[in-house]
Every structure is written in structure tokens, then in C-alpha cells.
Amino acid sequence: MRARVFVTLKPSVFDPQGRTIADALHSLGYGSVQAVRQGKYFELDLATTEAAKAKVLAAEVADKLLANPVIESYRIEVE
Amino acid sequence: MIDPQVLERHQLKPDEYDRILQFLGREPNLTELGLFSVMWSEHCSYKSSRVHLKTLPTEGPQVLQGPGENAGAVDIGDGLAAVFKIESHNHPSFIEPYQGAATGVGGIIRDIFTMGARPIALLNSLRFGALDMPGTPRLLEGVVAGIAGYGNSMGIPTVGGEITFDPAYAGNPLVNVFCLGVAKASDIIKGVASGVGNAVYYVGAKTGRDGIHGATMASAEFDERSAEKRPAVQVGDPFMEKLLLEACLEVMKTDALIGIQDMGAAGLTCSTSEMGSRGGAGIEIDISLVPQRESGMTPYEIMLSESQERMLLVVKPGREAEVERIFEKWDLHAVSIGRVTADGMLRVRERGQVVAEVPTGALTDQAPVYRRPMTPPDYLADAQRLDLDALERPRALDAGRTLSSPATHGLFALLGSPTIASKRWAYRQYDHMVRTNTINLPGLGAGVVRLKGTDRALAMSLDGNGRYCYLDPYRGAMLAVAESARNVACTGARPLGATNCLNFGNPERPEIMWQLAKAVEGLGAACRALGVPITGGNVSLYNETDGAAIYPTPVIGVVGVLDHADRVVGSRFRAPGDVIVLLGEGSGELGGSEYLKLVYDLVRGAPPALDLDRERALQELVIALVGERLIRSASDCSEGGLAVTVGECSFGTGGIGAELSVEPVNVARNPHLNVAATLFGESASRIVVSVAGDAVTAVLKQAAAAGVPTRVIGRTGGDRLRIATGGDIVIDVSIEEAERVWSTAIERYFVKKVA
Amino acid sequence: MLTRAGDTVKFAVIVFPGSNCDEDAYHAATAVLGQKAEYVWHKDTDLKGADVVVLPGGFAHGDYLRTGAMARFSPIMREVRTFAERGGPVLGICNGFQVLLEAGLLPGAMLRNRGLKFRCEHVHIRVEQTDTPFTLACRGGQVLRMPIAHGEGNYFAEPDVIARLEANRQVIFRYTTAEGELRDDANPNGSVSAIAGICNDTRNVVGLMPHPERACESPLGSADGLLIFESVVQSLKAGALVAGA
């Protein structure tokens, strides 16, 4: 199975990169882009065929390494 | 199968193909054609420049390694060698600024540690279009970030360099990077394969399809379709390189290696054929053993890949396990991919089957050499003519400013010109202090690093002036050598050797070839006279976009040694009340100057005259004065002339001003031009020094004995820069205001609002 | 181990793959301070009898994923944790500070500098607390000049964590002007509350972004960093004196 892990800064954490990208988009005329948050995306190839197990495993590695709970939160999709 | 289209795609000319047929005695297959194509590219073979490079002085008692190896080396005393080289990464940086510059840094670092030296300093010389042209800020930002990203991660300080802006480089920026390392002179290792049967090891990153035909790309002009060549860009992995660096240095300590070479341009092809050729040996490898990142790669792709951070090693018999163990410690896997043979052939197998077989010498030493036709360019005679009396009043540069005089106007224009202005915006992105050796912080003049465990320090500087070379490549190249050596001498270091990076246009055009030949002549003359042999370098040709060549731009790196690191001087004033002395004298030469370019928008006239004997006497004098602790600062006087130099000596000091009285020159009928020539003329062979009051007599006496014309021109102190000439005060500005103009000229292009 | 006040102090300098200020810390401890030091490889499993542990600057594991994120799983970090729990002095400099944060030995996390660029330059930091093994030779409020060299030194923690740090006097260094004034333009990276360095609640683990090891000899531009190293030497010797008495 494949798990996708999306790691983003928590809403309370200022994201200077996202802000700079938003500014750049505004200067390109995309005023309707109100805000940008930059994050990280991981694809995990997992040796399991059960979605539930895949989700648990992905959450475990996200907790352990992929995300730093002090500043980041994550979301998982499996297929 | 090998038809004219295939040859053209490989950038091989019909007569070159005939030569291949002669070497092989048969038609090459496509893989073999690929090998010839990359090894005979301008970038790898130096086929257009080689006859000229041969005329350069490369020998001296201090030279431990001249051109032909991964890097040059000079003896710096205490049984140590300084190993250094410069390399261009112009084309890759234009296509992808961050990765192009980053991999340039990675490549030059590998060249240094491949020699067994611990890299301890980086410099870079960058040239871009004018900063107010669209695209330039983005390019500058990417290149600087790429250099920082790679060098910082490696823990090698970037201690200096130069950044120049001129429309001539708009379509073709120059990114030249320099690295210096230190090794025990007796431990220098070479890129040689010998000993029949010895194992050939591959270590480092896996091979992917990246950078295939990077070497041939670097040898072709840019055109609109260059963007399509994007897949040829390599991506750097500084972490892998850091592991390689530490692991290789650890392996080298064991004495288990015969030779080692990095896989840079032309990848596995270049490293195998060059190592074999240098050792008079052959090499046989099986590409199915090469670690691969992608599946289904052909022998052609594996041989030509320019994936970064890879090394090729030849190991002494019986020492294989030891070498493998050290690499394992660093989580690297050294893989034996072949053996050294006696037959002088590069033989490539794929699962045992021979897929290419070419004499190593045919790829390297016997590559084509051209003596290309040369003619002086048409523009030259006219461009060298400069009639100051025909100039009109300067165009207003900054209408918003209220100016007290044309001289003040000129000074502010120069200080605010990005080429002269502070480069702090760039160098504070570089870690310039790691290794705790940097004793002259970057910003002005040469970079200086001390050598722990000795009393010594090394000084190094990169210099070039494309505008001078455009107006007179012979003299321009001489001036570049003189300036670089002078910058080194100003710290108190004795110049020992030089490396050069020759950036030119298309050598198939006779006027470009003439520029190249004249520049090399000038380099040779200056290096000979100043005692700095060339120990290696790099040639970058085809620097053109849509048929427009860059200025001919030789960039010179000079390295020198200070016997007593604690006597080093910087270029800035140290204290108020010191006496300012000018060593050497100017004659108000405005030809090719920054002033003419900025204020009159003119690139005209002859570059400043240079008397190499006087230059040498001047450099020896300043080295002696520093060595005897007679001067407190020394600053080379070049771009922007005397007024800019003195201003820069005041900046970064917390506002130590200066009051000067300088002899006027008489070069024009218009009095304001005479003032400008006095203040902003770029006569060579001048150094501004500051001297404590009680040492002035001794300084003047030594200067007289050395035959260097010398004059007390003023005193440090106050918070203003005040310059009088011919009885008139022509400049009177606050240091604070002048410094603000100088220090914000580049940053203001990058001001971002981030809350 | 230090048993008498006359003994030399032994520093362990942890070397992760990608560390690059390890030699600088070693040089400061030995050549400048005249103490002993030993490199300890990240896969090692003992601290070789060191009295103080330094996690040096650099780019451990390339700073890939997040700065310090992978280094915390190195075998030696178990030993560092045990050493710290027993009260041993641990100093994390720059990347070493980031490793301590990721390892949970210090609270908080690092974000990209607010200017988004790597910055290398001398800055000023004010010593906020002197009752740690790395600041006891400083005066309270003393301003030190030291270089920074980082791209991710923008210290962040949730407001309740910051409040706790302040209440427990765990903020050890703050970025200030040369005169010791808190000013936004003296904060080089946007750190919350201008935090440049903190300690744990038992005060023996200290992390800071500036590089004291780069400021131990005046030809390098400052010798203020010596105070940090001298502090820990004094602290250990005082401890040995008490233990021996």
C-alpha cells in the first residue's frame, strides 16, 4: 500500500516561506490568493495490504520522525 | 548508424570523426562516440586553448604540482602544501542558478580533497548583468544561495571573492569558484591508475541520468532553446560530499591508495581515461557493477552521466578490505567495478560483454589540438580612443540628491554602483568563520586564514576586469594578475602561485581567439614578472548568447603565505590620528574606468598602464612594511580610484574619517575632469596605507630605498571624508552618509517585507 | 572523571555525520583552554569518561527533513540523555542546540530565519542567567559578542511554554544591541522573545544558536565565547572541590 503524509506547520506557527510565496503571487497579480502555507509531502511504500494497518504505521513514523509535534501537524491518506 | 546528424548532436566535426576512425581502425559504436564526444569537448580537451596555455609559466622552486592534475600545489613552508584551483560553472548556473552554483562548489571542493588536502577556504568570482536589468536579482539570489547552501553545509568558509555587474554578462553570467586546501607536502595524492590487476573502486552517490552531456553543453553557445536542455542540470548533495570528504581523507591517511579522482565533467569516462592515461595504463570496468539510481540505464548513459559526489579510486593490492571498512564507517559503500590493465585501453563491459574499447590516450593526450585563426576585433581601434576634451557634462545620475559638487556626485555614484558597493548582502549568507581560522573577514581585499599549529597564514584573492580586457586583453590580463597579487601582498603575504579561469566567447571566431591569445600572453608576462607561476586552472569558452559574447574575462586567483599570522593587516583604518600614505603614484588614467562607465556611460580608452617592475617593487615594499609592523592598514587602490579606496578604508570602522590633500593631475582642459581623474582615475600599482605617526619616517625611508614613489596624503580622524586638491576642497561628505550609500546599494534590490 | 580541582576537564565532542564545527569546539577546549577533549562518534555508545558534553554545530545528516531531526536517533544520544539526567553539563551549539530540541532535552523548535536566508555575522547576546554551568563566569546582563551562522535559528515555542521558560528563568541568552537593549533589528532571525539560548529545568543542559567556540581568540574578532567554556571548567572544578572536601 501507499501512504501519503502531508506535514504542515501548525496554524499558530508563523510560516515565513508561505508568506513570501503569497507576497510573490500577489505581485504577479494573483490577489485572490489570500494565504499560502508551505508544507512537506512524503510518499511511503508500505509492505502491507490493509489500509488500517497502513494508516497506523504511517501515523507512527509521522509521530516519530516525519513531523515535529512542537511546530507541525500532519494528515495521512492511504490507498 | 553514425550519420552526420548523430555527429552534430555529439558536437563532433567531420575531421574529428576521421581522427576517431584512425584511432580505432573501425567505426565506433554509439557508446564509443559518446566517450569521444565528451572527452574531445572544449571543456575537457582544451583543444582551442591548449597551444596558448602551454606558454604560461608553470614552474618555480615553490611549485609542488603544476597544471595537469586535479589541482595545483605550492610549498608554504613547515612541510605543508597549499592545494588550490579555480573552476567555472557558468553555463549550468545560467540554466539553474542554485544547483548550477552549488554543484560548481561541490566540484571544486572534490578537486582539492582528491589531492589529499583538507579544504579550508572558498572564494568565488561572480559576474552578472546590471542589477537593475530584469532577471539579474533572481539570478544573483539563486547563485549566492547555491554557493551558500553547498559551502556552508560542507563546513568550509567562504572568505572572499568579487561580484561585478555589467550588461555584457546579462545573457551569460560567470560563476567561477575557487577552493584551497592544505596537505602535508609529502602526502599529496594524484589521479593516477597503475599496477596491473589493482582494483578500481567506485564510491559515493549512485549514478543517474543527470547531467548527461553536461560537458558538451558547456562547450556550446546558448540560444533560445537552451531552456530545453534543462534535464542536463545536475543536483548536488552536500551531505553526501561531506561524508565523501571525511571518508576519503581518512582513507588517504592509510597509504592504501594508488590514485583517486573525482567524477566531474564527463563523469566515469573522464575519470577512468585520465587516470589510466596518466599512469600509462589501461582500465577495464563493468558498468553493471556501477551503483545505479535509475533502472534501465544504457552503457552510454552510465559512462556519460554527470551525477555529482562520486569518486574513482585505485587501491593497492591487499588493502581493499581496509578501504572498504573506512567507507562503511561513513555509511558509504565502495564498490570494485574493475581493474587496472597493461594494454592502455579503456575497456567497458556490461555483464562481461565488451561494449566500448578505446585507447585512454586517444581520449586524453591525443585529443585534437587547434591553432585557430586570430584577428584583432574591429571595435578595438575605435574603443581605445578616448578624447576627454570631447566629453560633455555628466548626465544627472540621481536627480533627487542635492549635490555640492560634480566630484561628490561622482563619489556617490561610484559608492552606490553595485560593482563597487558592499557585498555584505552576499557574504553574510556564506559561513565565513567556520573552522575558526578566518582572520580577515570578507568584504575588502584578500581573504586570510591562519594555519593552526603553525605561525603562518594564507592569503588569497580572485580578481578580473572584463572591461579592461575588452579594451586591451593583453594589458587587462596583466592588470588582473597584478591586482590579485597586490591584494594578497596588502595583507603582508608573499604571493606564491596563481590559478586562472579564462572566460571567453566562441573560439571559432577569430576575434575571440585573438582576445584569448592576447590575454594568455598578458597573464604569462605578469605571472613571470611577479613570481607567481600558474599551477592550474580552467577554460570556459562559448560564453555567448545569441551571438553576443561576454567581455573577455580572465579571472586570476593568487595565493600567498604570511610567515607571521599575527602581523596581518586589514584594509580598513584602525585609529584616528594615523597618517595616510599613498605608495605608488597615479596619473589620472580614466580609460576603461568605472567612473567613465557610470557617469558618462562610456567603455572607452586604454586601460591603465602597468610597469611590472614597479609593481613588483611596490608589492615587495608593502610585504616588508607589514612584516616589520610599520603600517596599520593597507588597501589596494583600483576600481573607483583613490577617493573610493579611502572611503572604503573608513567604512566598517565605526566612522573613522579622513582628511586628504592630493596632487592634481592635468589630463583635460575641463577642470572638473581633472578633478575626476585625480579622484577616480584607476592608475595601477598604488596602495593606500595608514601609519602610526612615529613610523612615518621609517615608511618613507624604506619606500625611497625601494624606489617606490610615495607621498603623505593625509590623516585619519573626524567623521567626514574631506579631500582637497589644487587648493580646493572638492569632497566633503559625512562617512555615515557615504557608508549608507555603499552598504545598501545591493541590499535595496532585495528588501522584502516579512512581518 | 574529575576528582580533584587540579585535574583537567575532559570534553566529549559528539561527531554526527555532517557535523562541521566539531574541530572548532575541540580546538577551543584543548588549544585555547588547555583542557582535554575527545571526539565521540555518533554510533559510539559511551562518552569516554567525559566531564562535559558538547554537541557541535554543522549539518548533522545534511539537515535533511528538519535540522537535528535524524541525529536524535543516533546511539550516542541515549548516553547523552543519561549523562544529562545525572546532572552532567551538556552544551548544544547551533546545530547541536537544534539536536537537543528535536531530542526533547530542551523545549521548543526552530523555524527558518524570518529573512529566509542563512546569516553569518557577529551579533550581541545578553546573559540573562548566570546560575548555569555555562554562564557562571559571566556577569548578569553582560553583553557578549559572538558570531551566528545559521538558516534556521528562529526559536519557537507555544506561549504557555515561553511563559514557563520565563517563570523558571530558563532563558539564558537574548539577542540585544551592543548596549544590551532589546530591539527588533538586533534580533537576527525572528526568535520569539529574542531568545538566543535556553536551559532545561535542571539547568545543566544549555543550547544556544551563537557560536562561542568561534569567539575564543581575539584575532577571530572576539574572545567573549571563552566565558562559556571557562564557566563550565570552573563549575566542574568547584564541584570536584566540594566532592573532594
Side-chain angles (χ1 to χ4, degrees):
Chain A
M1 293 215 75
R2 171 164 293 182
R4 299 196 169 87
V5 183
F6 301 84
V7 176
T8 46
L9 289 172
K10 289 198 243 175
S12 59
V13 178
F14 174 58
D15 173 14
Q17 295 182 86
R19 169 65 169 272
T20 305
I21 294 162
D23 288 348
L25 289 173
H26 294 164
S27 70
L28 290 170
Y30 295 101
S32 58
V33 178
Q34 292 182 332
V36 177
R37 302 284 288 174
Q38 186 174 331
K40 295 180 186 132
Y41 166 62
F42 303 85
E43 279 182 5
L44 310 177
D45 284 324
L46 304 174
T48 175
T49 50
E50 286 177 49
K53 272 192 184 163
K55 204 151 190 174
V56 169
L57 184 58
E60 193 176 323
V61 299
D63 281 332
K64 185 146 192 185
L65 181 64
L66 303 183
N68 179 346
V70 177
I71 44 173
E72 292 168 331
S73 53
Y74 62 86
R75 177 168 64 79
I76 293 168
E77 290 173 2
V78 291
E79 69 177 41
Chain B
M1 170 167 128
I2 310 283
D3 57 26
Q5 282 82 43
V6 171
L7 285 185
E8 204 192 314
R9 268 209 312 279
H10 285 81
Q11 291 170 8
L12 285 162
K13 304 271 149 76
D15 55 324
E16 292 177 333
Y17 184 60
D18 290 342
R19 209 177 152 91
I20 293 173
L21 292 176
Q22 275 176 28
F23 275 124
L24 297 183
R26 61 177 166 84
E27 280 217 348
N29 61 34
L30 198 60
T31 302
E32 291 167 335
L33 193 75
L35 304 185
F36 279 105
S37 145
V38 288
M39 290 304 293
W40 287 10
S41 71
E42 194 66 58
H43 189 76
C44 289
S45 71
Y46 299 91
K47 58 190 171 191
S48 300
S49 55
R50 202 183 266 204
V51 292
H52 302 284
L53 298 176
K54 284 217 179 307
T55 65
L56 289 171
T58 59
E59 287 172 1
Q62 74 276 37
V63 176
L64 299 171
Q65 178 63 57
E69 268 292 338
N70 288 307
V74 294
D75 186 341
I76 53 173
D78 294 326
L80 297 174
V83 178
F84 59 94
K85 196 183 171 192
I86 189 170
E87 179 134 304
S88 66
H89 238 216
N90 305 336
H91 300 81
S93 301
F94 183 60
I95 292 177
E96 166 48 49
Y98 184 97
Q99 291 297 344
T103 52
V105 172
I108 195 66
I109 292 171
R110 283 196 300 284
D111 279 337
I112 301 309
F113 75 74
T114 298
M115 299 285 290
R118 159 76 65 182
I120 61 165
L122 291 164
L123 303 173
N124 56 72
S125 166
L126 312 178
R127 285 180 166 70
F128 300 95
L131 196 46
D132 54 10
M133 292 169 87
T136 303
R138 185 192 64 84
L139 216 48
L140 172 65
E141 194 157 30
V143 165
V144 168
I147 291 170
Y150 210 104
N152 296 355
S153 189
M154 291 297 293
I156 305 169
T158 298
V159 300
E162 52 164 9
I163 308 179
T164 299
F165 301 90
D166 193 295
Y169 304 99
N172 198 312
L174 301 185
V175 175
N176 293 179
V177 290
F178 165 103
C179 185
L180 177 144
V182 172
K184 272 195 197 156
S186 54
D187 289 354
I188 288 179
I189 297 180
K190 299 189 180 177
V192 57
S194 62
V196 173
N198 285 342
V200 175
Y201 273 87
Y202 171 113
V203 66
K206 291 180 178 171
T207 297
R209 289 193 174 87
D210 33 358
I212 290 173
H213 274 220
T216 45
M217 178 180 81
S219 308
E221 291 172 47
F222 273 103
D223 54 37
E224 284 173 14
R225 296 202 322 273
S226 293
E228 292 170 19
K229 293 187 177 171
R230 214 171 260 273
V233 169
Q234 314 96 313
V235 173
D237 178 355
F239 177 54
M240 169 62 79
E241 176 129 320
K242 171 72 172 160
L243 299 181
L244 269 182
L245 161 70
E246 298 301 337
C248 286
L249 289 179
E250 200 171 323
V251 165
M252 287 161 174
K253 273 192 216 149
T254 66
D255 170 43
L257 293 187
I258 305 262
I260 178 169
Q261 178 150 338
D262 83 290
M263 296 186 223
L268 201 46
T269 303
C270 183
S271 54
T272 48
S273 55
E274 285 193 358
M275 285 183 82
S277 168
R278 286 198 200 103
I283 284 194
E284 182 172 307
I285 60 171
D286 191 321
I287 52 102
S288 53
L289 301 171
V290 170
Q292 292 161 43
R293 202 179 65 219
E294 300 175 58
S295 57
M297 289 182 72
T298 63
Y300 180 99
E301 290 171 324
I302 293 170
M303 289 304 290
L304 268 58
S305 161
E306 295 193 352
S307 290
Q308 298 287 298
E309 293 94 18
R310 302 179 301 159
M311 309 288 283
L312 197 72
L313 294 73
V314 177
V315 178
K316 287 182 183 167
R319 310 289 293 273
E320 295 87 351
E322 191 183 344
V323 168
E324 288 174 20
R325 215 165 33 239
I326 293 172
F327 282 115
E328 289 294 334
K329 173 189 159 186
W330 293 93
D331 295 327
L332 298 168
H333 309 290
V335 184
S336 172
I337 60 165
R339 308 237 149 237
V340 178
T341 63
D343 63 5
M345 301 296 277
L346 169 60
R347 191 171 299 108
V348 182
R349 295 179 186 271
E350 185 181 33
R351 280 180 285 279
Q353 198 88 32
V354 174
V355 292
E357 194 169 23
V358 178
T360 58
L363 293 171
T364 54
D365 301 340
Q366 292 154 45
V369 171
Y370 294 124
R371 195 173 284 280
R372 295 197 188 272
M374 310 187 278
T375 45
D378 291 337
Y379 71 80
L380 205 61
D382 176 58
Q384 288 182 341
R385 261 198 307 273
L386 173 62
D387 180 2
L388 291 176
D389 291 324
L391 296 183
E392 299 186 356
R393 280 193 64 81
R395 65 193 173 98
L397 274 175
D398 193 345
R401 191 187 299 280
T402 44
L403 297 167
S404 50
S405 73
T408 309
H409 177 187
L411 178 67
F412 279 109
L414 285 163
L415 293 175
S417 141
T419 291
I420 285 179
S422 168
K423 305 302 184 297
R424 189 179 82 129
W425 175 86
Y427 69 71
R428 81 170 178 181
Q429 295 182 55
Y430 307 139
D431 189 339
H432 48 265
M433 301 190 238
V434 62
R435 303 196 67 75
T436 61
N437 293 325
T438 312
I439 54 176
N440 258 17
L441 295 178
L444 290 173
V448 185
V449 291
R450 64 177 181 177
L451 296 169
K452 290 190 188 114
T454 76
D455 288 340
R456 296 173 202 271
L458 294 173
M460 61 208 88
S461 182
L462 290 189
D463 296 278
N465 187 319
R467 198 158 56 228
Y468 286 173
C469 292
Y470 167 79
L471 294 169
D472 182 343
Y474 176 78
R475 198 187 282 177
M478 287 204 300
L479 285 163
V481 177
E483 183 178 346
S484 193
R486 197 184 310 131
N487 275 326
V488 165
C490 280
T491 69
R494 198 161 18 90
L496 289 176
T499 179
N500 64 0
C501 196
L502 304 177
N503 306 278
F504 288 81
N506 177 353
E508 294 160 49
R509 288 166 47 191
E511 64 276 16
I512 300 285
M513 207 52 227
W514 182 87
Q515 292 174 331
L516 174 69
K518 285 289 159 191
V520 172
E521 261 179 58
L523 286 184
C527 287
R528 249 176 235 111
L530 300 176
V532 284
I534 297 279
T535 64
N538 171 245
V539 180
S540 171
L541 302 178
Y542 298 94
N543 287 290
E544 313 206 341
T545 298
D546 297 328
I550 57 161
Y551 284 152
T553 312
V555 173
I556 313 302
V558 169
V559 172
V561 67
L562 264 146
D563 291 331
H564 303 285
D566 59 346
R567 296 186 192 174
V568 66
V569 299
S571 53
R572 297 191 163 96
F573 293 142
R574 298 287 302 284
D578 284 349
V579 174
I580 303 170
V581 177
L582 178 64
L583 310 178
E585 64 187 347
S587 54
E589 291 157 285
L590 284 173
S593 65
E594 190 73 19
Y595 177 81
L596 268 197
K597 164 78 181 143
L598 266 180
V599 178
Y600 291 91
D601 202 15
L602 276 184
V603 177
R604 245 181 198 287
L610 179 66
D611 178 327
L612 288 166
D613 292 331
R614 292 178 76 163
E615 178 69 38
R616 179 155 191 159
L618 172 75
Q619 292 184 18
E620 283 171 358
L621 171 66
V622 76
I623 295 164
L625 294 176
V626 175
E628 292 166 41
R629 300 183 195 268
L630 286 170
I631 58 178
R632 288 154 63 95
S633 72
S635 183
D636 160 48
C637 182
S638 51
E639 276 162 357
L642 186 61
V644 166
T645 302
V646 173
E648 287 175 340
C649 292
S650 288
F651 300 157
T653 62
I656 300 175
E659 196 151 331
L660 304 187
S661 169
V662 294
E663 284 292 293
V665 294
N666 189 6
V667 294
R669 279 197 295 271
N670 184 335
H672 98 253
L673 268 171
N674 282 325
V675 170
T678 304
L679 300 175
F680 312 123
E682 298 183 359
S683 291
S685 307
R686 291 184 296 166
I687 297 174
V688 172
V689 302
S690 65
V691 185
D694 56 3
V696 175
T697 316
V699 168
L700 295 178
K701 205 168 131 195
Q702 286 216 19
V708 174
T710 295
R711 191 184 288 272
V712 170
I713 56 170
R715 198 172 269 279
T716 64
D719 56 6
R720 300 184 72 77
L721 173 61
R722 196 173 284 147
I723 304 179
T725 180
D728 297 323
I729 291 181
V730 288
I731 284 187
D732 186 358
V733 298
S734 92
I735 292 294
E736 197 190 340
E737 187 187 355
E739 185 165 357
R740 190 165 50 241
V741 169
W742 177 79
S743 60
T744 56
I746 291 181
E747 275 168 22
R748 69 194 174 90
Y749 287 90
F750 297 97
V751 174
K752 283 204 182 98
K753 290 269 183 296
V754 177
Chain C
M1 274 305 233
L2 211 63
T3 50
R4 293 190 311 272
D7 286 355
T8 48
V9 167
K10 185 169 175 185
F11 287 73
V13 178
I14 311 293
V15 184
F16 297 102
S19 291
N20 64 31
C21 304
D22 43 339
E23 290 181 32
D24 303 349
Y26 185 97
H27 173 80
T30 56
V32 183
L33 254 84
Q35 307 298 321
K36 284 187 293 198
E38 190 142 12
Y39 294 115
V40 177
W41 181 235
H42 77 121
K43 288 181 188 166
D44 287 349
T45 49
D46 81 274
L47 290 166
K48 303 183 180 175
D51 304 299
V52 47
V53 172
V54 177
L55 278 69
F59 290 73
H61 296 276
D63 272 359
Y64 296 157
L65 185 59
R66 290 184 309 279
T67 58
M70 287 180 267
R72 79 171 199 264
F73 295 111
S74 289
I76 197 63
M77 286 307 290
R78 274 195 298 273
E79 300 306 311
V80 173
R81 187 181 298 276
T82 308
F83 181 83
E85 281 163 1
R86 288 186 189 145
V90 176
L91 180 66
I93 302 168
C94 194
N95 193 228
F97 184 15
Q98 295 164 338
V99 173
L100 291 173
L101 294 172
E102 282 281 342
L105 285 165
L106 290 172
M110 287 297 173
L111 299 172
R112 285 281 295 272
N113 292 349
R114 64 175 158 185
L116 298 183
K117 289 191 165 31
F118 191 96
R119 273 179 81 161
C120 175
E121 61 197 343
H122 280 94
V123 299
H124 293 94
I125 55 173
R126 190 175 71 197
V127 180
E128 303 291 276
Q129 307 293 339
T130 58
D131 59 343
T132 80
F134 297 100
T135 50
L136 62 80
C138 304
R139 279 180 285 106
Q142 187 171 357
V143 177
L144 308 178
R145 185 168 184 267
M146 278 184 213
I148 53 163
H150 59 247
E152 300 192 22
N154 183 352
Y155 181 81
F156 173 85
E158 296 291 349
D160 57 319
V161 178
I162 298 292
R164 204 166 61 236
L165 286 176
E166 299 284 8
N168 294 342
R169 300 182 303 104
Q170 284 172 254
V171 176
I172 306 302
F173 303 106
R174 274 186 235 269
Y175 299 107
T176 63
T177 63
E179 292 73 36
E181 262 177 84
L182 283 170
R183 244 180 33 201
D184 191 57
D185 59 1
N187 180 341
N189 49 34
S191 287
V192 60
S193 303
I195 288 174
I198 56 173
C199 71
N200 62 349
D201 51 15
T202 49
R203 310 191 86 71
N204 59 317
V205 177
V206 170
L208 78 168
M209 287 314 289
H211 285 271
E213 83 287 9
R214 296 188 184 186
C216 287
E217 295 160 278
S218 56
L220 303 177
S222 171
D224 290 353
L226 260 184
L227 282 171
I228 308 299
F229 293 97
E230 281 169 350
S231 289
V232 75
V233 171
Q234 279 182 33
S235 154
L236 286 162
K237 291 193 170 181
L241 212 55
V242 172

